[in-house]
Amino acid sequence: MKLTKLGHACWRLEKNGRTLVIDPGSFSGEGILDAADAVLVTHEHFDHVDASLLKNASPDLEIFTCQAVADQLGQIPAKVQVVDHGDAFDTAGFHVQAVGEWHALNLPDVPPVQNVGFFVDDEVFYPGDALTPPGRDVPTLLVPTNAPWLKGAEMIMYLRYVRPARAYSTHDGLVNEIGATLIDNWLGMEADKQKADFRRIPAGESVDIS
């Protein structure tokens, strides 16, 4: 499986000539749906879902997401399917399990929205905007590293709880060069402690995992 970091919180997974895109939001860059066979959307915030992009997508595209995002998209040419925590499905040659229900608490007066994470091919777990306990071993974790709802210590404790073999930074599109250096340092120190591969992948770059 080839894993490519797109902008901010968006990822492309490729296997056997098929392509799966996770969270194509407004900060994700250009051409993010190129060759996409299916899309997974964790929640309704605009940095994770560009509604206008999906509304103009091919009718052959399959979209899997929570009810709140489906309601936001309405009737569109692409096929939208609602999934909940515990659901499992196959799309674009990938096997996916839905994990989690709610976004992490953000502002004190703003109730959390729906948020469903995705475990792809028993290999890659992307929790969305949450620190959801996956309930199983995780080979590759896409770990949020910067957000209004997240402290650095919480990110580190999540890594220590999940203990993945690999963890790659996501939700990092709001940081400048100084912030990116901090993320690199935090992940590097924790990688040394856990003897694992924890790092930030620059946008546009890829890793091969198996």
Side-chain angles (χ1 to χ4, degrees):
M1 185 191 301
K2 181 180 179 181
L3 182 64
T4 302
K5 172 67 181 297
L6 301 179
H8 184 51
C10 184
W11 294 81
R12 178 185 294 126
L13 284 67
E14 299 170 84
K15 185 185 71 171
N16 299 329
R18 307 294 299 279
T19 300
L20 178 68
V21 174
I22 305 178
D23 277 5
S26 298
F27 302 156
S28 302
E30 300 295 326
I32 54 177
L33 293 186
D34 290 352
D37 298 294
V39 168
L40 309 179
V41 179
T42 61
H43 66 283
E44 65 191 73
H45 291 157
F46 68 91
D47 58 328
H48 292 259
V49 55
D50 184 338
S52 62
L53 179 69
L54 294 181
K55 287 177 180 179
N56 290 295
S58 166
D60 296 327
L61 185 70
E62 292 188 313
I63 302 171
F64 295 84
T65 189
C66 62
Q67 185 66 59
V69 173
D71 291 344
Q72 183 183 94
L73 294 176
Q75 297 296 318
I76 65 173
K79 183 179 181 181
V80 180
Q81 300 178 67
V82 173
V83 294
D84 297 308
H85 172 71
D87 289 345
F89 55 94
D90 294 296
T91 184
F94 295 86
H95 181 69
V96 185
Q97 293 175 296
V99 182
E101 298 178 272
W102 298 105
H103 191 289
L105 182 64
N106 205 332
L107 299 174
D109 299 323
V110 178
V113 299
Q114 290 181 322
N115 179 96
V116 60
F118 297 104
F119 212 136
V120 181
D121 273 358
D122 297 321
E123 175 63 47
V124 177
F125 181 50
Y126 181 46
D129 275 13
L131 301 179
T132 305
R136 54 183 296 189
D137 291 340
V138 176
T140 305
L141 175 67
L142 302 181
V143 59
T145 56
N146 175 264
W149 51 268
L150 180 67
K151 294 191 297 185
E154 294 171 331
M155 179 265 289
I156 294 297
M157 293 306 296
Y158 188 55
L159 286 170
R160 293 183 181 182
Y161 179 84
V162 177
R163 301 196 72 82
R166 293 169 293 275
Y168 303 126
S169 170
T170 192
H171 211 283
D172 51 18
L174 301 181
V175 301
N176 58 17
E177 291 183 5
I178 297 172
T181 299
L182 285 174
I183 290 171
D184 291 340
N185 290 340
W186 292 336
L187 291 177
M189 288 188 293
E190 192 59 27
D192 289 342
K193 286 181 180 294
Q194 296 195 33
K195 308 301 181 187
D197 178 18
F198 298 167
R199 55 193 165 100
R200 183 175 56 88
I201 300 173
E205 296 190 11
S206 306
V207 292
D208 290 316
I209 58 177
S210 60

